[in-house]
Amino acid sequence: MGTKCATLINLSDIEVGHGFSNISNNRHQLDRLNKKQPILFITLFLLTLFLASTSSNSHAGLCLVGTVSEVGTWINPDQNTRGITKAVFNEECRDDSRTTCSGDVCSTTSGVKLVYTAEIWGACHPDDCYWGKIDGVYTTANWLRFRYEFTFAEKMVWAQIWSGGDNWLRLIVDTDFDSPLRTDYRFDAWMQRY
């Protein structure tokens, strides 16, 4: 960015710095400017200060984890269940930077976002079936919500901590089959914190 500005004002013998220390280090270069042009000198100095204060592309972002009680590993206490045997919910901070361009000028806004993830295991034989890891949302009604899409059905997963303590979680899975010949169903169980 500094090089482009130096080229635009045709001052190739002056190094435009990215900090105040470079300004003082380059004082001898500034002294070489024609003393009969104080307006150019003041303009260059102000431009250098502006570039030094705006040259950084980094911005602070805030991502707080640990605020949702549903995060953790949950086990179905019913060892004979034919439904969900295990669920793991997590929070992750992910990059949410965005770059926008107008012509040949681009700017990047740095950011982070909080993402909720789910990993679900269903009862299968001989080993439980792993559904995969997906992203979801935390609703305004204090539920974690995730949507699994399989080739044969869509499964909506809902999870909410029990209001009486942090060791029990209500897990609901609504299965909507693609085929009208299959009956949709709901799995609704209490899971225990592992």
Side-chain angles (χ1 to χ4, degrees):
M1 182 171 179
T3 305
K4 286 183 181 177
C5 290
T7 303
L8 289 174
I9 60 174
N10 199 17
L11 296 173
S12 59
D13 60 329
I14 295 177
E15 178 184 339
V16 178
H18 293 289
F20 293 105
S21 63
N22 286 344
I23 294 170
S24 62
N25 291 341
N26 295 324
R27 186 176 192 82
H28 67 281
Q29 290 178 336
L30 293 176
D31 289 338
R32 286 189 278 163
L33 283 176
N34 187 345
K35 300 293 183 183
K36 295 179 183 177
Q37 297 179 359
I39 293 174
L40 178 61
F41 178 78
I42 292 170
T43 303
L44 178 62
F45 182 75
L46 292 175
L47 179 62
T48 303
L49 285 176
F50 173 76
L51 291 174
S53 66
T54 62
S55 64
S56 175
N57 284 336
S58 63
H59 296 74
L62 182 63
C63 182
L64 298 174
V65 295
T67 59
V68 176
S69 299
E70 287 82 2
V71 169
T73 301
W74 302 89
I75 303 295
N76 192 332
D78 179 3
Q79 304 219 353
N80 296 318
T81 185
R82 297 184 66 195
I84 306 304
T85 58
K86 179 180 174 183
V88 177
F89 301 110
N90 278 308
E91 299 168 303
E92 297 177 4
C93 294
R94 293 193 188 155
D95 180 41
D96 193 31
S97 299
R98 300 210 166 107
T99 301
T100 56
C101 296
S102 176
D104 62 347
V105 177
C106 296
S107 65
T108 299
T109 304
S110 300
V112 292
K113 65 179 177 178
L114 180 61
V115 176
Y116 300 97
T117 63
E119 295 179 87
I120 305 291
W121 285 260
C124 291
H125 184 72
D127 298 316
D128 290 342
C129 299
Y130 178 63
W131 290 11
K133 182 176 180 179
I134 62 167
D135 296 346
V137 297
Y138 193 71
T139 70
T140 56
N142 300 328
W143 285 86
L144 283 174
R145 185 184 71 210
F146 304 90
R147 185 174 78 193
Y148 280 91
E149 292 184 27
F150 297 99
T151 56
F152 60 92
E154 175 183 277
K155 295 181 179 269
M156 292 297 296
V157 177
W158 300 83
Q160 186 179 56
I161 201 82
W162 179 51
S163 61
D166 287 343
N167 291 323
W168 290 95
L169 174 101
R170 185 173 182 196
L171 185 69
I172 298 172
V173 179
D174 289 321
T175 301
D176 180 20
F177 289 105
D178 292 339
S179 171
L181 302 175
R182 296 187 71 180
T183 304
D184 299 340
Y185 69 93
R186 171 176 273 194
F187 171 84
D188 190 344
W190 288 97
M191 308 289 279
Q192 190 170 20
R193 190 180 294 275
Y194 181 71

